[in-house]
Amino acid sequence: GIVGYMHGDDYYIHVESCANYGDITGNTSTTGGIVGSIPSLRGRIYYCVNHGSVTSTEACCTGGIIGKMGVDPVGTYQSTNLEIGWCANTGNVTCLGDSEVGGIVGFAQEGAVDWNDQDSYVHDCYNTGEISESGGEAGGIIGYSDRYCYLKCLANYGETDYAIVGDYKYGPDLYDDYTYYTKGSPTNNIADTYLSDPSKQESYGGFDFSNSWQMY
C-alpha cells in the first residue's frame, strides 16, 4: 500500500504515520496494506492504518499492515527483530491460498528467549476487518507467530478464524498480556479475554487511555 519491500541490514527501518485507503492485490510471497515485507532486523512500524481491502491471489503472507516482518536466525532466538505498535486495520484481508494471514501482520518472526523482552513485539493495535484464508487459520491480529513473540494490548473486533493468532511455532513460547476479542476462536495458546461490552473503557485492563488509546 505504501512500500512493497524494505531491507536495511544492520540499520533501523522506521515506517511511521502512514495510511492506505486503496485496495491492494498481491500474487507473490508477501502482501500488506502498508508494507509488503521487511526481512531485516530492527524494523519498526508505528502509527499506521489501513482502510483498504488487502487480497493475495496466491499463498502469500498477508497482513492489514505488513505481510511478513523480521529475520529468521535459523537458531534459538533473535534479538532486536521487530516491533509493530499503535497500528489499526479496518479493511478486509484475504488470502485465496493457504498461507499466514493476519489483521495486522501475516508472519511475525521470533524474538529472544526472555519473557516480554520486546525483541519480537506487537502491541497497541486493533483490527475491525474480516480476516480469512483458504486454510482456515487466519488470525485477527497475527497470522503466524514464531517463537518468543510478545503480544500486548491488542483487540480484534473482526470476523476471523482465530481471535488473535492464527498459528504459532511453539505454544509455550508465545507470550501475551491484555489481548481482547469480540469475534473468532479464542484458542491457540492465547490467554485472551472476550469483550462482553467492548464500548466500556473499564473492559480493557492494561490499556493506556491517557496516551495510547481512546474510545469512540
Side-chain angles (χ1 to χ4, degrees):
I2 303 296
V3 180
Y5 177 94
M6 300 181 75
H7 183 62
D9 293 326
D10 293 330
Y11 299 97
Y12 278 92
I13 295 174
H14 280 207
V15 180
E16 298 186 20
S17 304
C18 296
N20 173 63
Y21 293 84
D23 294 339
I24 307 298
T25 301
N27 61 3
T28 54
S29 59
T30 60
T31 307
I34 300 296
V35 182
S37 176
I38 301 179
S40 303
L41 296 178
R42 304 180 180 89
R44 302 291 184 263
I45 300 179
Y46 300 146
Y47 314 115
C48 291
V49 60
N50 173 65
H51 297 297
S53 66
V54 181
T55 305
S56 294
T57 59
E58 303 291 342
C60 302
C61 298
T62 309
I65 298 298
I66 183 169
K68 189 173 184 179
M69 192 168 182
V71 168
D72 184 355
V74 195
T76 305
Y77 62 88
Q78 179 61 62
S79 62
T80 64
N81 210 354
L82 67 96
E83 182 181 357
I84 304 171
W86 307 287
C87 293
N89 174 68
T90 68
N92 294 336
V93 181
T94 306
C95 180
L96 303 180
D98 185 1
S99 191
E100 293 81 19
V101 182
I104 298 297
V105 53
F107 191 120
Q109 290 283 8
E110 66 192 74
V113 296
D114 296 329
W115 162 246
N116 69 6
D117 55 31
Q118 302 180 7
D119 286 299
S120 178
Y121 189 30
V122 182
H123 64 95
D124 295 289
C125 298
Y126 73 87
N127 168 69
T128 63
E130 180 179 340
I131 315 301
S132 62
E133 57 107 352
S134 64
E137 291 188 336
I141 301 296
I142 298 178
Y144 181 91
S145 171
D146 211 326
R147 302 179 71 181
Y148 311 122
C149 186
Y150 181 36
L151 315 177
K152 184 178 180 181
C153 296
L154 305 171
N156 176 60
Y157 309 97
E159 293 284 356
T160 187
D161 299 309
Y162 293 100
I164 303 296
V165 178
D167 198 6
Y168 53 88
K169 191 168 187 177
Y170 300 115
D173 295 337
L174 182 62
Y175 308 130
D176 69 292
D177 284 320
Y178 313 117
T179 53
Y180 299 91
Y181 72 101
T182 60
K183 296 177 182 177
S185 170
T187 59
N188 275 5
N189 211 62
I190 294 292
D192 45 15
T193 301
Y194 178 73
L195 290 167
S196 57
D197 191 346
S199 65
K200 290 186 177 181
Q201 182 172 309
E202 54 266 31
S203 298
Y204 301 83
F207 279 36
D208 181 358
F209 284 97
S210 297
N211 300 295
S212 298
W213 291 84
Q214 180 178 353
M215 304 296 296
Y216 67 93

